[in-house]
Amino acid sequence: MEGFIAWPREFAQEYRKAGYWIDKTIPEVMEESFVKFGSRTALITSQGTEYTYEELGALSTRLALHLKNLGLSPSDRLVLQMPNIAEVVISYLATLKAGAIPIMALSAHREAEIGYFAELSEARALGIAADWRGFDYQDMAASVQAKNPNLKMVLVTKGTPNEGYHSIDAMLQDPIEQRVDPKSLPRPDPDLPAVLLLSGGTTGIPKLIPRTHNDYVYNFLRNAEICELDENTVSLIAIPQEHNFALACPGLMGVLSKGGCEILSDNPSPQAMMELIERYKVTHCVAVPTMIVGMLNHSQRSMFNLSSLKTILTGGSKLNPEIAVRIRPELGCEVQQVLGMAEGPLYWIRLNDPEEVKLHTQGRPQSAGDEFKIVDPTTGKEVDAGKVGELWCRGPHTIRGYYRAPDHNARAFTDNGFYKSGDLVRLHHSGNVVVEGRIKDCINRGGEKISDEEVENHILAHPAVANCAYVAMPDPVLGERACAYVILRTKMELTLKALNDFLLNERRIAKFKLPERLEVLDAFPLTAVGKINKNALRDKIAGAIGQERCA
Ligand code: OOB
């Protein structure tokens, strides 16, 4: 596939020999579960819909046949953008069954992001919910289509489709499998991309991450083992289903591979999460640290029966040890940390690790086939044991390159295929890594990653702005929020509201990327080589916030 970088042959051979790659496609592995666990409940949504394994299997095959009928061909890209509703799961599985490649967008994305993914991937289809939380996704689809003639097919759920668009709900009602043989669905090559994930943590504009059937199947099967999932697992997912953590770490597919049940919720508030934990006797809760803090500090926590909870799986941003120690005494369950990346690397705590390791480190590689180094990013030489350096990773579930991004790949990967994560870590004496910071220019807003450069480009388009720097400021709830430093053009004025109105209405970017503070300067501090000194700006805003809190 053009724009996709495969693992070198000798590595592929080794990964097969070691049994990591089993040459099954994602639909094949899922189908085994649909047959094996037939009448068990596979999925319950916070909107109250429930599906058995059999039903999920049958409905996703039905929709796949309809997609094929509409002209979706093997390897076509489909941008999947839905909130946490059952249709996101069914459409994801159906896209794979049709041999097409879903691009896992977030429902928070807007025209800027969706248009960019559609253009970069030359997507043929877009799957959306008609409108959700007051936003009209069909309007957005029309604008994206106007600029992307490849985007022929818009598939719509939860509402009446506009003219020329197709109703997913109607297709799910129409038993096409009685007319078209499901065996006519294609079988993709397991060495080729199955899914395109979005990069969270990279420097620069967002990238698309090709995950192959072989690498992604291994990813979720291995994660399901590490998290000790089984048929009795009830897993609550209230982060976006399209996120790698929710999809495959072990996520939806890990739970389904073991016969468990996923509770999919579109409400990430601590109250809603605790209600669902009690109602469905949730055993495994997937949460970014902000959600854990929310549950721990919720004033009515004692009103909920959380006794079913065995483990909270957490990652996406750093869990402070002070929070980690409160989890067992206050929530009555274990915490299992993961340092994960959509690019593939996964460092997991194991459930039988000593307390010190569980609470103070972010884990070790999921696989014996994973290699990692902690290096001085300027020289590429490994740092002394226990010292902080950049984490570089290579292995059977770590990509060798972003999709259609040759220039960036030359910077983000070493010549021998290590992915330069941009995360600063140190090796704990137990062999686990501890995250100490990062060198990549992005903001981690409660686990949601935002690229500085992407938003800076939008801010620079504002007529009042001469120059800008978008930097992280510390936040007690989300860990970080974004602050925009700007230099204004002569005689111009700008308020945060005016800037954000511009970003939302003119540039049409996702709301979670909006700066939450605006600072106007006459000049920026510069580094020795004349670049904007972002570290100095980050220190400046952190200092200002610290002082305001004390005042
Ligand atoms: C997960 O994936 P992404 O791609 O959204 O973000 C990756 C970045 C990492 O490079 C790191 O900077 C940060 O998120 N991160 C953590 C962390 N887990 C991820 N930082 C500190 N502590 C952790 N435990 O965020 C992701 C993917 C799969 C599973 C879980 C999270």
Side-chain angles (χ1 to χ4, degrees):
M1 183 175 153
E2 168 268 320
F4 160 65
I5 300 175
W7 281 259
R9 190 186 300 267
E10 62 278 18
F11 283 87
Q13 269 169 357
E14 193 189 308
Y15 297 154
R16 280 199 171 79
K17 213 167 98 202
Y20 307 139
W21 290 3
I22 56 174
D23 286 316
K24 284 183 188 169
T25 66
I26 294 175
E28 282 167 347
V29 176
M30 289 290 98
E31 209 54 40
E32 284 171 17
S33 280
F34 296 144
V35 173
K36 182 168 171 197
F37 302 111
S39 61
R40 292 184 66 91
T41 306
L43 177 69
I44 300 177
T45 67
S46 54
Q47 300 89 33
T49 48
E50 283 196 32
Y51 297 82
T52 64
Y53 275 80
E54 234 155 38
E55 286 166 340
L56 264 193
L59 287 172
S60 52
T61 298
R62 179 177 290 175
L63 186 57
L65 289 169
H66 279 290
L67 296 181
K68 181 171 176 259
N69 222 22
L70 288 175
L72 193 72
S73 304
S75 301
D76 276 351
R77 272 75 64 199
L78 178 151
V79 181
L80 184 61
Q81 190 203 20
M82 290 179 193
N84 281 3
I85 53 178
E87 288 75 8
V88 73
V89 172
I90 298 170
S91 305
Y92 167 70
L93 294 167
T95 306
L96 290 172
K97 283 186 177 182
I101 302 174
I103 297 176
M104 307 306 282
L106 302 176
S107 61
H109 285 141
R110 292 293 177 261
E111 192 182 328
E113 292 88 8
I114 300 296
Y116 170 72
F117 305 142
E119 189 184 327
L120 173 64
S121 70
E122 294 171 274
R124 191 179 173 86
L126 170 65
I128 50 174
D131 71 272
W132 195 258
R133 305 242 162 88
F135 182 74
D136 188 333
Y137 288 85
Q138 299 204 78
D139 263 4
M140 180 200 69
S143 304
V144 173
Q145 252 186 328
K147 294 182 197 128
N148 291 280
N150 284 307
L151 196 68
K152 297 271 187 266
M153 214 184 279
V154 178
L155 310 153
V156 181
T157 182
K158 301 272 176 238
T160 315
N162 289 353
E163 203 185 324
Y165 292 179
H166 306 278
S167 163
I168 292 177
D169 308 345
M171 290 189 268
L172 289 174
Q173 295 293 322
D174 172 18
I176 187 175
E177 66 279 4
Q178 292 170 8
R179 311 188 296 275
V180 184
D181 186 355
K183 290 205 182 69
S184 67
L185 291 170
R187 179 187 190 266
D189 178 344
D191 277 337
L192 288 182
V195 181
L196 289 167
L197 299 177
L198 310 185
S199 68
T202 47
T203 295
I205 47 175
K207 309 287 180 309
L208 295 178
I209 298 171
R211 304 297 302 265
T212 66
H213 291 273
N214 263 326
D215 108 65
Y216 221 28
V217 163
Y218 175 53
N219 192 102
F220 67 76
L221 291 180
R222 179 75 189 118
N223 283 192
E225 276 170 26
I226 291 176
C227 298
E228 302 182 11
L229 305 189
D230 59 27
E231 278 182 54
N232 299 317
T233 297
V234 180
S235 175
L236 173 61
I237 296 206
I239 62 171
Q241 179 67 83
E242 284 99 340
H243 193 278
N244 182 35
F245 194 10
L247 195 60
C249 305
L252 170 75
M253 296 193 291
V255 170
L256 295 183
S257 73
K258 291 288 182 182
C261 175
E262 172 173 290
I263 312 296
L264 181 62
S265 169
D266 69 324
N267 186 345
S269 74
Q271 165 105 15
M273 288 178 68
M274 291 192 291
E275 275 168 19
L276 291 172
I277 293 170
E278 175 175 301
R279 181 165 343 138
Y280 294 111
K281 300 197 169 46
V282 166
T283 59
H284 291 71
C285 175
V286 175
V288 290
T290 308
M291 292 168 157
I292 301 179
V293 175
M295 287 197 274
L296 282 170
N297 294 344
H298 195 273
S299 58
Q300 275 145 27
R301 175 160 47 85
S302 58
M303 313 258 290
F304 296 98
N305 179 354
L306 307 179
S307 61
S308 58
L309 210 51
K310 283 190 191 163
T311 313
I312 295 184
L313 312 179
T314 192
S317 61
K318 179 128 174 197
L319 179 69
N320 290 325
E322 303 78 63
I323 300 297
V325 292
R326 291 176 56 191
I327 294 176
R328 179 150 359 108
E330 295 184 43
L331 297 175
C333 65
E334 296 300 313
V335 62
Q336 191 170 14
Q337 300 198 48
V338 55
L339 164 62
M341 302 165 210
E343 289 79 1
L346 287 163
Y347 294 72
W348 281 103
I349 290 297
R350 308 305 198 262
L351 285 163
N352 58 2
D353 279 341
E355 203 65 1
E356 189 209 349
V357 169
K358 264 191 185 168
L359 301 183
H360 294 271
T361 83
Q362 278 65 58
R364 56 189 175 280
Q366 73 154 24
S367 163
D370 288 321
E371 302 165 80
F372 75 93
K373 297 182 195 183
I374 301 173
V375 306
D376 175 336
T378 47
T379 62
K381 294 229 162 55
E382 290 191 58
V383 297
D384 293 337
K387 292 277 181 288
V388 174
E390 187 187 4
L391 179 64
W392 288 5
C393 322
R394 182 167 82 173
H397 55 98
T398 296
I399 59 162
R400 292 301 188 118
Y402 293 97
Y403 177 62
R404 293 186 172 172
D407 295 344
H408 186 70
N409 285 340
R411 291 191 295 274
F413 293 83
T414 65
D415 290 343
N416 55 1
F418 278 85
Y419 166 59
K420 302 181 187 174
S421 74
D423 287 318
L424 292 175
V425 304
R426 75 184 152 82
L427 194 63
H428 188 256
H429 57 78
S430 59
N432 293 273
V433 300
V434 180
V435 178
E436 294 289 358
R438 61 171 183 264
I439 52 172
K440 54 194 167 192
D441 280 338
C442 73
I443 290 173
N444 190 335
R445 187 181 185 275
E448 202 73 80
K449 315 304 174 322
I450 313 169
S451 140
D452 295 4
E453 190 181 324
E454 180 194 0
V455 183
E456 283 162 3
N457 286 337
H458 288 295
I459 296 175
L460 283 170
H462 192 285
V465 174
N467 203 353
C468 81
Y470 177 88
V471 298
M473 56 183 179
D475 181 77
V477 179
L478 293 172
E480 294 175 11
R481 292 182 195 262
C483 170
Y485 274 100
V486 299
I487 298 174
L488 295 178
R489 289 180 192 275
T490 330
K491 298 208 179 95
M492 290 287 201
E493 287 181 3
L494 187 64
T495 62
L496 182 64
K497 175 156 187 329
L499 174 62
N500 285 345
D501 284 348
F502 170 78
L503 293 172
L504 275 183
N505 303 326
E506 303 290 324
R507 306 299 295 181
R508 303 189 182 183
I509 67 170
K511 207 169 164 189
F512 69 85
K513 297 178 181 173
L514 296 181
E516 290 172 83
R517 183 164 174 149
L518 176 71
E519 295 284 316
V520 179
L521 295 181
D522 293 330
F524 287 149
L526 300 178
T527 64
V529 291
K531 291 208 283 187
I532 298 176
N533 188 341
K534 286 201 166 171
N535 282 336
L537 290 175
R538 282 187 275 265
D539 290 347
K540 190 174 164 73
I541 193 66
I545 289 173
Q547 277 190 348
E548 287 161 14
R549 278 203 198 111
C550 294

